[in-house]
C-alpha cells in the first residue's frame, strides 16, 4: 500500500499554498489515471469542486460531486476511481504540528467521514477562497476557519453519539432531502407531530444553529451545486433555492461564502 508523505497526492497540482502546519492544494485528475490503495502522512479534508469520482474506503464507496466534503485521518486507507474529465478538488492537509499549536490532540477527529452538515460547506468555501487570496491574513484566516469547522464536527459527532429523539432524525432527513424553498416550521411540525414552538426551542440543541440559519445553509449548498450549470441564470437559481429574489440570493451567498455567486461560478 502506498504511503503519501506531506504534500503528496495523485492529482495534478493547479495551485499549492504552504502555511504553518497546513498545506492547501487545488488539483485535478488526469483522465484514465489509476489511484491505488494508499494513506497519507497527515490528516486532511477533501472538498470536491467539480466533476465526479468514486472514493472507496474500507467501509463504503462515496460518489463525489461538486460540494462533497470528506475527512480522512492519517492512517485511513482509500483509493479513487471512475473520474470524469473535469474532476477537481481542494485538499487541506493538517500536520500534527498544527494540532499541537492549537492545543488539540490529532485524535480529536478520527476515521473517515463524509461531512453532510450544510453549515460546514460555507466554511470550506471560505478556506478555498484563501488559496486564491494568499496574503498576509491567510494564515490566521485558515486557522480560524479550521478551528470553527472542527468545533462544528465534534459537536455533531457528540450529538450523534447521545440519545437523539426520533423527531430529530426525521427533521434532519427532511431538511437535507427536501426542496429548501418548501420547508417551514409548520411543515416540519406536520411531518413530525411536534409543536412548532417546541421545534423552534429544541432545534439549536441538536443542530448547533438556529432553524433559519440552517435552512439558509441548505439553500446556499444547493445553490453552489446549481452554479456549476451555466445554463441557469442567477435569478433561476435564486428561485429554485427559495430566495425571495436575485438580490436576496446574492446578499446571502456573499455573506455565507465570502464571494458573489458570479465570482464563485467563474472561479
Amino acid at each position: 500500500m502506498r504511503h503519501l508523505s506531506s504534500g503528496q497526492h495523485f492529482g495534478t497540482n493547479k495551485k499549492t499554498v504552504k502555511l504553518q502546519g497546513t498545506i492547501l492544494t487545488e488539483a485535478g485528475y488526469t483522465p484514465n489515471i489509476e489511484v491505488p490503495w494508499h494513506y497519507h502522512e497527515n490528516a486532511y479534508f477533501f472538498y470536491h469542486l467539480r466533476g465526479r469520482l468514486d472514493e472507496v474506503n474500507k467501509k463504503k464507496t462515496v460518489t463525489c460531486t461538486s460540494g462533497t466534503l470528506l475527512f480522512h485521518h492519517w492512517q485511513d486507507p482509500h483509493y479513487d476511481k471512475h473520474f470524469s474529465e473535469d474532476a477537481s478538488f481542494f485538499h487541506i492537509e493538517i500536520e500534527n504540528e498544527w494540532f499541537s499549536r492549537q492545543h488539540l490532540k490529532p485524535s480529536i477527529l478520527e476515521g473517515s467521514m463524509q461531512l453532510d452538515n450544510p453549515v460546514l460547506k460555507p466554511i470550506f468555501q471560505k478556506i478555498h477562497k484563501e488559496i486564491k487570496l494568499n496574503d498576509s491574513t491567510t494564515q490566521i484566516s485558515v486557522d480560524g476557519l479550521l478551528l470553527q469547522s472542527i468545533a462544528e464536527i465534534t459537536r455533531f459527532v457528540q450529538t450523534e453519539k447521545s440519545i437523539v429523539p426520533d423527531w430529530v432524525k426525521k427533521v434532519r432527513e427532511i431538511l437535507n432531502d427536501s426542496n429548501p424553498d418548501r420547508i417551514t416550521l409548520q411543515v416540519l411540525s406536520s411531518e413530525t407531530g411536534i409543536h412548532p414552538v417546541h421545534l423552534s426551542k429544541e432545534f439549536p440543541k441538536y443542530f448547533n444553529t438556529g432553524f433559519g440559519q440552517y435552512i439558509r445553509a441548505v439553500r446556499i449548498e444547493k445553490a453552489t451545486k446549481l452554479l456549476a450549470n451555466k445554463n441557469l441564470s442567477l435569478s433561476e437559481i435564486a428561485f429554485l433555492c427559495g430566495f425571495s429574489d436575485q438580490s436576496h440570493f446574492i446578499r446571502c451567498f456573499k455573506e455565507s461564502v465570502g464571494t458573489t455567486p458570479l465570482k464563485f461560478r467563474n472561479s
Side-chain angles (χ1 to χ4, degrees), residues 1 35-40 44 46 53-64 68-81 110-115:
M1 184 181 298
V35 178
W37 280 100
H38 64 279
Y39 63 95
H40 295 254
Y44 73 94
F46 173 98
L53 62 85
D54 289 337
E55 176 153 310
V56 184
N57 59 47
K58 288 187 174 181
K59 294 181 180 179
K60 63 179 181 179
T61 298
V62 178
T63 296
C64 299
T68 299
L69 178 61
L70 308 175
F71 171 80
H72 287 295
H73 204 272
W74 68 270
Q75 79 276 25
D76 286 302
H78 55 277
Y79 73 94
D80 302 322
K81 62 180 182 178
E110 296 182 322
S112 296
M113 293 184 281
Q114 182 176 2
L115 302 166

XYZ file of all heavy atoms in Angstrom, residues 1 35-40 44 46 53-64 68-81 110-115:
360
model
N 0.837 -1.194 0.000
C 0.000 0.000 0.000
C 0.880 1.255 0.000
O 1.853 1.325 0.738
C -0.940 -0.010 1.221
C -1.910 1.162 1.247
S -2.986 1.154 2.694
C -3.857 -0.400 2.445
N -5.565 5.283 -9.319
C -5.193 5.669 -7.961
C -5.318 4.448 -7.066
O -6.419 3.991 -6.782
C -6.086 6.813 -7.430
C -5.710 7.158 -5.988
C -5.957 8.038 -8.324
N -4.209 3.850 -6.625
C -4.248 2.613 -5.844
C -4.610 2.886 -4.378
O -4.719 4.036 -3.941
C -2.810 2.105 -5.958
C -2.002 3.365 -6.039
C -2.823 4.320 -6.849
N -4.778 1.806 -3.616
C -4.963 1.946 -2.177
C -3.768 2.724 -1.613
O -2.625 2.460 -1.948
C -5.040 0.577 -1.492
C -6.371 -0.101 -1.594
C -6.720 -1.082 -2.468
C -7.528 0.156 -0.789
N -8.027 -1.472 -2.263
C -8.541 -0.725 -1.239
C -7.805 1.033 0.264
C -9.815 -0.754 -0.659
C -9.065 1.012 0.839
C -10.051 0.131 0.374
N -4.076 3.683 -0.740
C -2.999 4.483 -0.159
C -3.490 5.139 1.127
O -4.685 5.158 1.416
C -2.535 5.562 -1.144
C -3.596 6.578 -1.475
N -4.583 6.340 -2.411
C -3.836 7.829 -0.988
C -5.374 7.382 -2.485
N -4.954 8.311 -1.632
N -2.569 5.698 1.871
C -2.932 6.544 3.006
C -1.919 7.674 3.089
O -0.854 7.638 2.478
C -2.990 5.743 4.317
C -1.697 5.115 4.770
C -0.868 5.763 5.687
C -1.303 3.858 4.300
C 0.314 5.184 6.114
C -0.123 3.276 4.716
C 0.680 3.940 5.625
O 1.850 3.368 6.040
N -2.289 8.712 3.835
C -1.498 9.932 3.868
C -0.767 10.078 5.200
O -1.210 9.567 6.232
C -2.398 11.149 3.649
C -3.037 11.195 2.302
N -2.634 12.056 1.310
C -4.064 10.469 1.771
C -3.378 11.879 0.230
N -4.254 10.918 0.483
N -6.447 15.056 6.635
C -6.795 16.086 5.653
C -8.287 16.107 5.365
O -9.009 15.126 5.569
C -6.011 15.887 4.356
C -6.466 14.727 3.506
C -7.380 14.904 2.477
C -5.973 13.442 3.734
C -7.791 13.841 1.694
C -6.376 12.377 2.956
C -7.293 12.582 1.932
O -7.703 11.510 1.171
N -11.029 16.872 2.236
C -11.132 16.801 0.785
C -12.447 17.460 0.397
O -13.517 17.002 0.802
C -11.107 15.336 0.335
C -11.380 15.089 -1.125
C -10.334 14.901 -2.012
C -12.683 15.017 -1.600
C -10.586 14.640 -3.356
C -12.945 14.769 -2.940
C -11.899 14.580 -3.825
N -16.140 11.614 -9.077
C -15.278 10.442 -8.909
C -15.855 9.603 -7.782
O -16.709 10.069 -7.013
C -13.830 10.852 -8.604
C -13.540 11.655 -7.326
C -13.351 10.754 -6.113
C -12.301 12.513 -7.514
N -15.423 8.370 -7.690
C -15.807 7.488 -6.579
C -14.615 7.302 -5.665
O -13.523 6.954 -6.118
C -16.267 6.122 -7.096
C -17.609 6.188 -7.797
O -18.368 7.134 -7.520
O -17.893 5.308 -8.625
N -14.819 7.568 -4.362
C -13.764 7.318 -3.386
C -14.169 6.108 -2.552
O -15.272 6.058 -2.016
C -13.542 8.526 -2.481
C -12.509 8.233 -1.404
C -11.770 9.465 -0.909
O -11.271 10.231 -1.743
O -11.705 9.624 0.311
N -13.266 5.148 -2.449
C -13.541 3.891 -1.767
C -12.671 3.785 -0.518
O -11.448 3.906 -0.591
C -13.258 2.683 -2.696
C -13.634 1.385 -2.002
C -14.002 2.825 -4.015
N -13.304 3.578 0.646
C -12.553 3.245 1.856
C -13.004 1.880 2.336
O -13.764 1.193 1.651
C -12.713 4.332 2.933
C -14.164 4.554 3.337
O -14.904 3.601 3.587
N -14.579 5.807 3.414
N -12.569 1.464 3.503
C -12.866 0.110 3.962
C -14.331 -0.078 4.350
O -14.796 -1.210 4.490
C -11.956 -0.239 5.138
C -10.509 -0.465 4.732
C -9.671 -0.975 5.889
C -8.262 -1.327 5.439
N -7.423 -1.850 6.544
N -15.051 1.027 4.528
C -16.443 0.938 4.960
C -17.441 1.102 3.821
O -18.478 0.451 3.804
C -16.724 1.986 6.042
C -15.970 1.752 7.350
C -16.329 2.820 8.376
C -15.572 2.592 9.689
N -15.897 3.651 10.694
N -17.139 1.990 2.864
C -18.129 2.270 1.825
C -17.488 2.987 0.635
O -16.315 3.364 0.675
C -19.263 3.131 2.387
C -18.824 4.506 2.869
C -20.021 5.307 3.385
C -19.606 6.695 3.839
N -20.755 7.494 4.318
N -18.290 3.167 -0.411
C -17.901 3.951 -1.571
C -18.707 5.241 -1.573
O -19.923 5.220 -1.427
C -18.155 3.179 -2.874
O -17.358 1.994 -2.877
C -17.814 4.032 -4.089
N -18.016 6.368 -1.726
C -18.678 7.674 -1.761
C -18.535 8.247 -3.169
O -17.421 8.388 -3.682
C -18.050 8.652 -0.745
C -18.730 10.016 -0.837
C -18.151 8.103 0.671
N -19.655 8.552 -3.816
C -19.619 9.229 -5.104
C -19.495 10.730 -4.847
O -20.379 11.340 -4.245
C -20.887 8.936 -5.918
O -20.930 7.537 -6.222
C -20.884 9.715 -7.230
N -18.382 11.302 -5.272
C -18.093 12.708 -5.006
C -18.517 13.571 -6.191
O -18.094 13.324 -7.322
C -16.607 12.899 -4.748
S -15.970 11.990 -3.316
N -19.111 17.867 -2.308
C -18.864 16.743 -1.392
C -17.669 17.073 -0.499
O -16.632 17.516 -0.968
C -18.580 15.446 -2.167
O -19.723 15.122 -2.972
C -18.308 14.283 -1.214
N -17.848 16.829 0.804
C -16.792 17.135 1.780
C -16.463 15.869 2.568
O -17.356 15.238 3.147
C -17.260 18.238 2.731
C -16.308 18.658 3.855
C -15.001 19.209 3.284
C -16.979 19.702 4.748
N -15.179 15.495 2.570
C -14.720 14.296 3.264
C -13.605 14.645 4.237
O -12.888 15.635 4.045
C -14.191 13.250 2.277
C -15.075 12.842 1.099
C -14.310 11.890 0.183
C -16.358 12.177 1.590
N -13.457 13.814 5.264
C -12.297 13.915 6.148
C -11.664 12.541 6.256
O -12.358 11.529 6.368
C -12.695 14.389 7.554
C -11.554 14.302 8.542
C -10.573 15.286 8.579
C -11.444 13.216 9.411
C -9.501 15.187 9.464
C -10.388 13.107 10.295
C -9.404 14.104 10.328
N -10.319 12.491 6.226
C -9.580 11.250 6.445
C -8.515 11.481 7.505
O -7.725 12.434 7.405
C -8.884 10.776 5.162
C -9.812 10.215 4.138
N -10.533 9.067 4.335
C -10.136 10.664 2.901
C -11.270 8.822 3.262
N -11.048 9.771 2.386
N -8.502 10.629 8.518
C -7.380 10.650 9.449
C -6.184 10.031 8.737
O -6.331 9.337 7.726
C -7.719 9.884 10.725
C -6.917 10.312 11.908
N -5.695 9.763 12.196
C -7.144 11.260 12.860
C -5.201 10.343 13.278
N -6.065 11.255 13.705
N -4.989 10.287 9.270
C -3.781 9.902 8.537
C -3.667 8.407 8.274
O -3.082 7.996 7.279
C -2.537 10.391 9.282
C -2.285 9.712 10.603
C -2.746 10.100 11.819
C -1.519 8.535 10.838
N -2.322 9.243 12.813
C -1.561 8.265 12.228
C -0.789 7.671 10.017
C -0.918 7.177 12.804
C -0.154 6.580 10.588
C -0.223 6.350 11.970
N -4.227 7.548 9.139
C -3.995 6.123 8.973
C -5.095 5.425 8.162
O -5.073 4.214 8.014
C -3.880 5.439 10.354
C -5.197 5.158 11.070
C -5.743 6.335 11.843
O -5.444 7.473 11.520
N -6.536 6.073 12.861
N -6.051 6.164 7.615
C -7.188 5.539 6.935
C -6.914 5.328 5.442
O -6.802 6.290 4.675
C -8.439 6.400 7.109
C -8.995 6.300 8.517
O -9.320 5.179 8.936
O -9.082 7.336 9.195
N -6.831 4.067 4.997
C -6.546 3.779 3.584
C -7.782 3.964 2.705
O -8.916 3.774 3.141
C -6.118 2.304 3.623
C -6.821 1.732 4.802
C -6.912 2.839 5.815
N -7.562 4.336 1.457
C -8.640 4.527 0.499
C -8.048 4.584 -0.910
O -6.835 4.641 -1.078
C -9.412 5.823 0.790
C -8.542 7.031 0.829
N -7.826 7.403 1.939
C -8.240 7.961 -0.125
C -7.139 8.489 1.691
N -7.354 8.844 0.438
N -8.920 4.517 -1.912
C -8.471 4.739 -3.293
C -9.610 5.397 -4.073
O -10.759 5.427 -3.616
C -8.012 3.442 -3.961
C -9.101 2.467 -4.333
C -9.658 2.465 -5.618
C -9.559 1.513 -3.424
C -10.649 1.558 -5.973
C -10.545 0.601 -3.767
C -11.090 0.627 -5.036
O -12.064 -0.268 -5.383
N -9.301 5.944 -5.236
C -10.277 6.659 -6.056
C -10.397 5.999 -7.427
O -9.426 5.428 -7.939
C -9.865 8.126 -6.237
C -9.711 8.837 -4.906
O -10.516 8.567 -3.999
O -8.778 9.659 -4.779
N -11.584 6.116 -8.040
C -11.811 5.530 -9.360
C -12.944 6.286 -10.065
O -13.602 7.145 -9.472
C -12.163 4.044 -9.230
C -13.454 3.778 -8.452
C -13.752 2.285 -8.366
C -15.068 2.031 -7.637
N -15.407 0.585 -7.579
N -11.355 11.414 14.101
C -10.853 10.072 13.803
C -11.603 9.457 12.636
O -12.744 9.810 12.331
C -11.001 9.167 15.036
C -10.152 9.610 16.228
C -10.287 8.660 17.413
O -11.401 8.161 17.644
O -9.276 8.415 18.083
N -10.939 8.509 11.975
C -11.576 7.734 10.927
C -11.797 8.503 9.639
O -11.246 9.574 9.416
N -12.633 7.921 8.781
C -13.044 8.553 7.529
C -14.485 9.002 7.676
O -15.331 8.247 8.141
C -12.935 7.566 6.362
O -11.596 7.191 6.144
N -14.765 10.233 7.292
C -16.110 10.769 7.444
C -16.553 11.509 6.191
O -15.772 12.259 5.603
C -16.170 11.754 8.624
C -15.972 11.150 9.990
S -16.193 12.401 11.304
C -14.592 13.232 11.215
N -17.799 11.283 5.791
C -18.432 12.145 4.808
C -19.222 13.173 5.595
O -20.094 12.832 6.394
C -19.355 11.363 3.876
C -19.991 12.252 2.817
C -20.830 11.462 1.829
O -20.981 10.240 1.935
N -21.389 12.145 0.848
N -18.923 14.452 5.395
C -19.492 15.522 6.214
C -20.616 16.205 5.437
O -20.371 17.028 4.554
C -18.401 16.518 6.594
C -17.227 15.885 7.365
C -16.029 16.821 7.406
C -17.659 15.495 8.777
